[in-house]
Amino acid sequence: MSELDQYYEILNHIYSLSTTLLTTYCYAFLVKPFLSDKSSCRLQKSRVCLVAAAYAGIMLFLQYMPYYINVMLAYGIGISGAFLVMCLLDPVYISQKLFLSISFFGLRWQVWRIVGQISLIPSLFYVRLFADKDEVFWLRLSIMDCVRDALTGFLLMFGNVWFLLKVYGKKQENMKMRELLILVIPSLSGVCAYAMILFYYDAYTNAFERASLSVKIGYEILIAIYAVISYATNLAIIWLFRRWKTEQEEDKQREIFTRQIQDLKSHISEAERLYKDIRALRHDMGNHLMTLKHLYAQGESEEAETYAAAMQKQMQAASCGILSGNPVTDVILSDRKKEMDEKGIAFTCDFHYPADSEINAFDISIILNNGLSNAIEAAEQENSSAPHIFLSSYRRKNMYIIEIANSFSGELKTDEHSGLPITTKEGEGHGFGLSSIRHAAQKYLGDIEIGREIFQQEDCCVLRVMLQTAI
């Protein structure tokens, strides 16, 4: 092997190594938002580094392995290995991780195929333009081509990954099988089509070499256009999917909001009925007292006691049981307390409605209904013989704060971007309660916070809702 051949071999090794590392960086950038851990930045970085190392290590091993392996199969093994490492490090939202891996698998060939086609077109002219140049010139030209191709490929891939994240978003979520198929079929069909192109390209190499320059250029441009269209199709499907998911979530939120309005109407009707009964009792109280006075005056003590017991029973039926300062919240809290009693959950209530503020009873009812509903559901799942729920409210200057705490001994995982707990539950309505509470709080320039802490000397998950009383 001549010295010049050694230079070409070194150049090929450097180019292969640099493209692998640049591709690995783009893959790490893609999966980073979905491997995040808000509680530990170091843990987040270590997970991303391990996934990137797995991908780079597999690809470099297959690249320098003495046995030949099909290039498409090698890429598939590399992305599969990185996917498995990702699942072992963070075994949640597996379907979403599979979607990201398959999408990157399709993106990888599309980008570097475009780069390959771009580099082939000028090379067709090099033979005619620089046929009289020496070998050193050709080596320098090859170095320039490698640098150009590596930088072009990296910029295209990084830009496409960034755009994919922008279109799809960075939300960790459960993905159903039909949703996964909708998103990955375009990528897989593009990969299969590319494999067929390579097959026919190899089969007709000799005939293609004898073709005219215009035919060669047209063929390479056609493949480049196909790669661009394939990737654009993938992004269009992902964008349509995200828009559909957003509209679906908005529809569910509207449905839940409508249901909450209906619940509030029933609470208002119940409050009106109770207060109507109370007014009736007040109106008849004079007659009742006069009747009792006559019974005792006539010495009919037993009849008087029976009459008084009936009065007491009627008064208890007309009472909410919890007096918070507002008839609507009285009914809500009484209904929730009854539900907790039936489920064996202790309830400590120190809630007072801010009657002297501009905070609407409807918004307070949304906070109480959703917050207590989540607390009851969480308390039911606790492996505790005495689950407990606390509700309290207090003022801090111009802030009105509601605290809802429930017994909790597990690990609380929160979404990095929304700050809300991550739920693995599936089904209609899950995950929208806290969003409704936050929306109600933000109407009063407030917000919510959720955390695990010691509350009233118990391990609890605490929801704090902060509202400004004067806006």
Side-chain angles (χ1 to χ4, degrees), residues 332-350:
I332 292 173
L333 296 178
S334 298
D335 288 346
R336 290 300 181 182
K337 184 180 185 304
K338 182 180 179 182
E339 181 182 356
M340 294 180 209
D341 291 340
E342 292 174 352
K343 296 179 178 180
I345 302 173
F347 183 44
T348 301
C349 180
D350 185 23

Side-chain angles (χ1 to χ4, degrees), residues 92-244:
V92 293
Y93 308 121
I94 303 299
S95 57
Q96 187 181 57
K97 291 178 173 60
L98 181 60
F99 154 67
L100 293 171
S101 300
I102 294 177
S103 296
F104 186 81
F105 179 61
L107 170 64
R108 197 264 174 226
W109 81 259
Q110 289 160 351
V111 167
W112 291 107
R113 184 69 268 166
I114 293 173
V115 173
Q117 301 309 117
I118 292 174
S119 63
L120 279 174
I121 294 174
S123 67
L124 295 174
F125 295 96
Y126 287 167
V127 178
R128 298 187 179 185
L129 294 176
F130 308 119
D132 57 339
K133 300 296 181 179
D134 58 13
E135 294 180 343
V136 176
F137 174 83
W138 283 99
L139 176 61
R140 292 173 179 171
L141 189 62
S142 298
I143 294 173
M144 292 175 59
D145 286 345
C146 288
V147 173
R148 178 202 62 204
D149 292 347
L151 290 177
T152 303
F154 172 72
L155 293 175
L156 282 176
M157 178 161 287
F158 186 81
N160 289 335
V161 166
W162 177 85
F163 192 59
L164 189 150
L165 287 174
K166 185 175 179 62
V167 170
Y168 177 72
K170 300 179 181 180
K171 180 181 179 182
Q172 294 178 321
E173 60 186 359
N174 290 309
M175 187 177 289
K176 297 179 181 178
M177 184 56 65
R178 63 175 179 268
E179 296 173 347
L180 177 63
L181 291 176
I182 289 173
L183 290 174
V184 302
I185 283 178
S187 294
L188 293 177
S189 62
V191 171
C192 292
Y194 176 59
M196 293 171 58
I197 290 173
L198 288 180
F199 173 79
Y200 286 110
Y201 185 83
D202 294 337
Y204 294 96
T205 298
N206 294 331
F208 185 71
E209 288 179 351
R210 293 193 297 270
S212 64
L213 181 62
S214 60
V215 172
K216 293 179 182 178
I217 293 175
Y219 179 77
E220 303 299 343
I221 292 177
L222 184 63
I223 294 178
I225 292 174
Y226 169 74
V228 172
I229 292 175
S230 179
Y231 182 67
T233 302
N234 294 344
L235 284 182
I237 294 295
I238 294 171
W239 178 77
L240 289 172
F241 169 80
R242 176 51 63 198
R243 185 170 182 179
W244 170 70

Side-chain angles (χ1 to χ4, degrees), residues 51-92:
V51 172
Y55 179 78
I58 294 172
M59 294 307 300
L60 291 174
F61 171 77
L62 295 176
Q63 182 177 333
Y64 292 103
M65 186 177 64
Y67 303 100
Y68 173 76
I69 184 171
N70 181 272
V71 63
M72 297 295 291
L73 180 60
Y75 295 149
I77 293 174
I79 203 69
S80 299
F83 168 72
L84 291 176
V85 172
M86 216 176 1
C87 294
L88 290 173
L89 294 173
D90 189 27
V92 293

Side-chain angles (χ1 to χ4, degrees), residues 203-310:
Y204 294 96
T205 298
N206 294 331
F208 185 71
E209 288 179 351
R210 293 193 297 270
S212 64
L213 181 62
S214 60
V215 172
K216 293 179 182 178
I217 293 175
Y219 179 77
E220 303 299 343
I221 292 177
L222 184 63
I223 294 178
I225 292 174
Y226 169 74
V228 172
I229 292 175
S230 179
Y231 182 67
T233 302
N234 294 344
L235 284 182
I237 294 295
I238 294 171
W239 178 77
L240 289 172
F241 169 80
R242 176 51 63 198
R243 185 170 182 179
W244 170 70
K245 287 285 288 185
T246 302
E247 292 177 353
Q248 189 180 49
E249 291 176 358
E250 290 175 351
D251 289 340
K252 288 182 179 179
Q253 286 180 330
R254 281 193 291 267
E255 183 178 347
I256 293 171
F257 186 72
T258 302
R259 199 177 304 158
Q260 289 173 342
I261 292 178
Q262 292 173 350
D263 291 341
L264 181 61
K265 288 180 178 179
S266 67
H267 290 145
I268 292 174
S269 299
E270 179 66 15
E272 289 177 347
R273 184 190 68 79
L274 289 173
Y275 276 76
K276 183 178 180 181
D277 292 343
I278 291 173
R279 286 194 299 270
L281 278 173
R282 287 177 178 175
H283 180 268
D284 296 335
M285 190 58 65
N287 294 330
H288 291 314
L289 291 175
M290 184 65 69
T291 302
L292 285 172
K293 182 178 179 181
H294 285 301
L295 288 173
Y296 279 113
Q298 295 174 5
E300 299 180 4
S301 301
E302 292 184 3
E303 290 292 332
E305 290 178 0
T306 302
Y307 192 86

